[in-house]
Amino acid sequence: MDSSMMELIAKSKVPALTRAVAILDIISRQGQCNANQLVSELGMPKSTVYLLLEELKNQRLVTQSNSGNYRLGFRLLELGSQVSRQLDLRNVALPHLKALMHDTGLVLDVYD
């Protein structure tokens, strides 16, 4: 486990959640991986990784293939789509578009 992750876990008021998010981050980066790869990369006890993976599976945040590899679960897609529905993309993009206008001297129109 790298020092930044150890520091995050040490500072966390809910270390188990921080560890679970670290697992999701690794699976996200690799696309899929097995438990041994997670144990190796995180430096956590195997039992901890398996307990976290089991709960992540129960919550549909990860799925496990027949070959034993873990992938991100559909629940993350469901949660992400909720974020996109709540996001006002126009308000998020507007400051960046104004900066682009300023930098390029071009005129941009943003419509509702």
Side-chain angles (χ1 to χ4, degrees), residues 30-41:
Q30 295 184 5
Q32 64 178 359
C33 59
N34 62 43
N36 288 330
Q37 291 170 304
L38 291 167
V39 168
S40 175
E41 188 159 340

Side-chain angles (χ1 to χ4, degrees), residues 9-30:
I9 291 170
K11 288 182 178 179
S12 177
K13 292 184 180 182
V14 188
L17 179 59
T18 305
R19 289 181 181 105
V21 171
I23 288 172
L24 293 173
D25 285 341
I26 292 168
I27 295 171
S28 174
R29 273 197 321 270
Q30 295 184 5

